[in-house]
Amino acid sequence: MLFRSSGFSVVTYTGNGTAGATVGHGLGVAPKMLIVKNRVQGTYGNWNVWHTAITGSQYLSLNLTDAVSTNNNRWNGTIPTSTVFSLGADTFGNTNKSGDTYVAYVFSEVAGYSKFGSYTGNDSSDGPFIYTGFRPKFLLIKNISTTTDWVVIDTSRSTYNVSANKLYPNLSSA
């Protein structure tokens, strides 16, 4: 499924366990974020995340609180290109175990619609200002330096600032 105009693509593929394998994403521009899930492992597998703020040798897990980790077996140490993302030699089933099927959610920026980036906190109650060029309806935040929850803030639950209602993708709480 491809939504090039919205900067979003859903790709399914079968792993081959080979380092340097690639998967086409169809966006026509380099993605800013990938989320990959092994469909065979079901609820036991991790939701593997790559983001433009980390290297091709690093990853996060959407279902865990872990800080950024380093392992070439996820993305083969390679940043995604305008046509493909790369996979490492994976025997554990994270992104490329031979014979396992995967789903990948691939995101790129679209001006006025989506923005991906990072920032450094300043320990101030006012915090840093992050300009997106539009009012976001959905915000996903993760401190990559330490063990902490992922946080989702959206305008459906909190219709004005300061947003009080949050979701935590790594938790099973309501």
Side-chain angles (χ1 to χ4, degrees), residues 10 19 24 30 41 50 54 65 79 91 109-111 140-141 168:
V10 179
Q41 292 178 343
W50 175 84
I54 60 178
T65 60
I79 301 291
T91 57
E109 288 184 354
V110 174
L140 176 64
I141 303 169
Y168 304 91

Side-chain angles (χ1 to χ4, degrees), residues 4 23 28-29 38 56 61 63 68 72 81 87 92 101 103-104 117 129 132 138 141 145 147 150 155-156 164 167:
R4 183 177 287 184
V23 177
V29 296
N38 184 321
S61 297
N63 57 305
V68 68
N72 282 337
T81 71
L87 305 171
F92 297 106
T101 57
V103 60
F129 176 76
T132 63
F138 174 91
I141 303 169
S145 301
T147 301
W150 290 78
T155 59
S156 294
L167 297 173

Side-chain angles (χ1 to χ4, degrees), residues 68-130:
V68 68
S69 299
T70 301
N71 183 321
N72 282 337
N73 288 339
R74 300 295 196 287
W75 324 114
N76 200 44
T78 306
I79 301 291
T81 71
S82 62
T83 56
V84 299
F85 60 93
S86 296
L87 305 171
D90 176 17
T91 57
F92 297 106
N94 292 298
T95 59
N96 191 25
K97 183 177 180 183
S98 184
D100 283 5
T101 57
Y102 296 83
V103 60
Y105 303 96
V106 188
F107 302 89
S108 65
E109 288 184 354
V110 174
Y113 182 75
S114 59
K115 186 79 172 167
F116 299 83
S118 62
Y119 66 92
T120 301
N122 62 10
D123 253 350
S124 168
S125 60
D126 193 27
F129 176 76
I130 295 93

